[in-house]
Amino acid sequence: MTTAADGQGRSDLAARLTAIDERIAVAARAAGRDPAEITRIVVTKFHPASLVRELRALGVSDVGENRQQELSAKQAELAALDLTWHFIGQGQTNKAAAIRRSADVVHSVDRGRFADALDRAAQDDGLLDVLVQVNLTDDPGRGGVAPADAVALAEHVLALPSLRLRGVMAVAPLDEEPGAAFARLRAVAEGVRAVQPSASWISAGMTGDFVEAIDAGATHLRIGSAITGPRPDRG
Ligand SMILES: *Cc1c(COP(=O)(O)O)cnc(C)c1O
């Protein structure tokens, strides 16, 4: 078995990254879009900081994490690297200050109280980029605000002085064709843009559905295993 630290592991990683970027470019052109307007975030959850370092050496600028402790630890270890850190996981209100210290973008604002906690955690005049997470399933227990409530949450965020609303984020349901779900997200995104024209980001698309997300206008893809390989056992 090869490890990510040896030469073979690195060239595999480089090959997977190149292959995904080629597929992104093909899908973008097929959708009549410029690949340069799409940001590919590499989701590095459960992988060691050393993998993030290798990705940076391969030119990756944007990485995503879904757990606050893991985000905070890796960001602290790699603070010298020029990386944009995206928090994509469910955010607990009592972790908001720690999330804000480590993340450049929070994709998963799903309720007003979490937005309030992120705003209260501001340490200086800087703005934190945030997205409203939309729940595209019928299960209210899944992450995200109901589509019908997304504009109200966006307006709540807009009233908070230290947050900069950038757009919307979602995960496609497992039991539905992703293109149909992403079409609903696109409609929600248009509603949010109607109240804040600059909030134009759509964070959607993972390993299994990024082509459909690109078709539906995604500006930010969150791709993990297709680039990093399978996630290590969390033990
Ligand atoms: C893990 C994760 C991803 C990446 O998933 P892959 O299928 O490995 O590409 C994207 N978005 C969120 C919210 C995640 O938790």
Side-chain angles (χ1 to χ4, degrees):
M1 185 188 138
T2 58
T3 68
D6 64 33
Q8 185 61 44
R10 174 178 291 213
S11 63
D12 287 350
L13 187 65
R16 289 193 297 265
L17 187 64
T18 303
I20 289 296
D21 285 349
E22 281 170 3
R23 287 175 59 196
I24 292 169
V26 167
R29 287 192 207 99
R33 302 182 58 198
D34 179 357
E37 71 186 31
I38 296 173
T39 301
R40 177 257 298 123
I41 300 162
V42 182
V43 177
T44 50
K45 63 188 184 195
F46 312 162
H47 287 283
S50 58
L51 182 91
V52 182
R53 210 181 275 285
E54 288 173 34
L55 287 164
R56 182 70 200 107
L58 294 170
V60 168
S61 57
D62 290 80
V63 292
E65 289 288 335
N66 74 334
R67 302 202 164 227
Q68 174 270 318
Q69 281 191 318
E70 204 178 331
L71 166 74
S72 297
K74 285 183 205 168
Q75 191 276 333
E77 184 173 341
L78 303 174
L81 300 185
D82 188 13
L83 285 166
T84 298
W85 291 88
H86 298 257
F87 182 71
I88 61 173
Q90 185 122 39
Q92 288 169 257
T93 301
N94 64 353
K95 302 283 177 59
I99 292 167
R100 181 159 192 153
R101 270 196 300 280
S102 303
D104 300 293
V105 186
V106 175
H107 289 230
S108 44
V109 170
D110 58 356
R111 59 201 190 282
R113 284 188 51 227
F114 183 47
D116 294 343
L118 288 170
D119 181 56
R120 274 198 305 276
Q123 301 271 20
D124 50 34
D125 297 339
L127 294 175
L128 177 68
D129 285 332
V130 302
L131 296 101
V132 164
Q133 183 178 355
V134 180
N135 182 357
L136 298 176
T137 76
D138 300 328
D139 175 0
R142 300 295 293 268
V145 67
D149 299 330
V151 168
L153 180 55
E155 286 173 332
H156 184 106
V157 169
L158 286 169
L160 297 172
S162 78
L163 303 185
R164 176 164 53 193
L165 181 69
R166 288 297 208 166
V168 298
M169 174 272 213
V171 176
L174 294 172
D175 57 355
E176 186 185 359
E177 200 279 303
F182 290 145
R184 292 200 299 285
L185 180 64
R186 184 176 217 163
V188 172
E190 279 163 16
V192 168
R193 278 179 80 172
V195 297
Q196 180 66 27
S198 62
S200 59
W201 295 8
I202 300 178
S203 166
M206 314 183 3
T207 288
D209 56 23
F210 68 85
V211 171
E212 290 88 345
I214 290 168
D215 272 338
T219 62
H220 290 67
L221 313 176
R222 308 177 311 270
I223 302 181
S225 45
I227 294 171
T228 61
R231 285 183 271 278
D233 228 338
R234 306 194 50 228

